[in-house]
Amino acid sequence: MQQPHQAPLPRWSAPPAVTASIGLHALAVGSAALAPETLWWALGGIGLNQLGLTAAGLWPRSRLLGPNWTRLPAAAAARRQFALTLDDGPDPEITPRVLDLLDRHRTRATFFCIAAHAQAQPVLLREIVARGHDVQNHSHSHRHHFALLGPGGLAREIDRAQQVLADLSGVKPHCFRAPAGLRNPFLDPVLHRHGLHLVSWTRRGFDTVSHDVQRVLGRLTHGMAAGDIVLLHDGHARRGRGGQPVVLEVLPRLLAHTAALGLHATTLRDALPPRGHDAH
Ligand SMILES: [Zn+2]
């Protein structure tokens, strides 16, 4: 099995916003203990701080809760590369058609797979890898309340997915994308333990929500540039007015657009160094 992380990881250190929050909590407790009349100010400060951390977790492209790749590294952008990422598969109906489209356009993509779906479609998962694409971790069960899980719940979702995806594909994921991009301050230490990068996106099409092919395409192509990470879905796909999954109509047009811009698709495995060896 391929092991992307040869050197031991440096120790996890809390991001500045989390360190500041811990300090603020200590200050509030100390202040309320020494001067009880400040209790309401202390509680108010803690409440505002919690609101801030929650807001950061609900903002998928935020870096306040830890490192978060929203674009490829500068070296990949300089090579005029972009990354096409497809979430929520593998899906027995749509993923094979996506794979055929990618072959036709000689494009390699990164599939953020739900491990439970991979367990149900092991042959399809291996097919993704056999056709030159990259498989990464999108949690085990894609729980809707993922961002509300504590350290133990997050670890179970991520550990299990790492195990399943590595066993089935033969390659250990080194990137993680949170379900719906939502998370909380307990996530980064778990990702660090596995050497996983958190990867969100530069632009997304909302193709699981919108059935309007032109609008989905417009969201992806407007201002598109080298270094972009774009997000579509081969699972949970919305169907367009003609009954065709939106992703299958958007993908060829998107790839025609990237070709016209002179961009080349790369995978996250090729573009991102192992965690701990990157300059953020
Ligand atoms: Zn998802």
Side-chain angles (χ1 to χ4, degrees):
M1 179 174 300
Q2 194 175 322
Q3 294 293 339
H5 306 293
Q6 308 298 331
L9 281 167
R11 270 168 63 95
W12 181 78
S13 57
V18 173
T19 309
S21 298
I22 295 167
L24 184 106
H25 280 65
L27 192 71
V29 169
S31 160
L34 292 172
E37 67 277 14
T38 64
L39 176 67
W40 293 108
W41 287 106
L43 288 177
I46 288 176
L48 280 175
N49 178 253
Q50 291 292 335
L51 270 179
L53 289 177
T54 304
L58 297 177
W59 174 24
R61 302 178 69 239
S62 155
R63 293 199 175 106
L64 283 171
L65 301 182
N68 181 8
W69 290 92
T70 59
R71 307 183 54 74
L72 295 179
R79 293 190 293 268
R80 295 205 56 74
Q81 291 178 326
F82 77 103
L84 170 63
T85 63
L86 290 143
D87 285 12
D88 295 2
D91 176 278
E93 185 204 335
I94 295 170
T95 306
R97 297 170 70 188
V98 166
L99 290 174
D100 288 346
L101 273 173
L102 294 175
D103 276 356
R104 224 170 291 146
H105 288 82
R106 298 178 205 279
T107 298
R108 291 165 68 224
T110 299
F111 289 78
F112 276 96
C113 293
I114 298 173
H117 291 189
Q119 278 174 308
Q121 302 292 332
V123 175
L124 188 48
L125 187 85
R126 283 192 277 272
E127 179 78 9
I128 294 172
V129 177
R131 285 161 84 163
H133 305 290
D134 184 16
V135 165
Q136 299 289 358
N137 186 334
H138 192 38
S139 82
H140 183 267
S141 309
H142 205 271
R143 295 185 190 284
H144 292 301
H145 63 286
F146 180 84
L148 300 177
L149 295 175
L154 291 175
R156 275 190 294 281
E157 271 290 306
I158 291 163
D159 297 353
R160 243 180 119 190
Q162 280 296 93
Q163 184 94 50
V164 167
L165 295 172
D167 286 351
L168 291 177
S169 73
V171 188
K172 201 172 185 178
H174 82 310
C175 294
F176 175 78
R177 179 173 282 156
L182 308 180
R183 63 198 192 281
N184 68 38
F186 300 123
L187 179 63
D188 193 52
V190 178
L191 297 185
H192 179 269
R193 185 153 46 79
H194 284 288
L196 286 165
H197 289 290
L198 180 70
V199 177
S200 51
W201 51 81
T202 315
R203 51 195 78 246
R204 59 173 160 172
F206 289 101
D207 54 315
T208 57
V209 183
S210 175
H211 54 63
D212 186 329
V213 171
Q214 276 309 327
R215 289 193 68 176
V216 170
L217 186 65
R219 287 189 194 104
L220 296 173
T221 55
H222 182 73
M224 191 174 178
D228 282 5
I229 300 171
V230 299
L231 165 59
L232 280 168
H233 291 77
D234 60 327
H236 299 141
R238 182 85 195 253
R239 285 171 192 274
R241 292 185 215 284
Q244 173 90 325
V246 170
V247 61
L248 298 179
E249 297 200 41
V250 168
L251 202 45
R253 298 174 207 198
L254 173 69
L255 295 176
H257 182 78
T258 54
L261 291 175
L263 301 179
H264 318 286
T266 186
T267 62
L268 293 177
R269 192 166 297 280
D270 285 351
L272 275 188
R275 184 171 179 177
H277 300 261
D278 50 72
H280 232 283

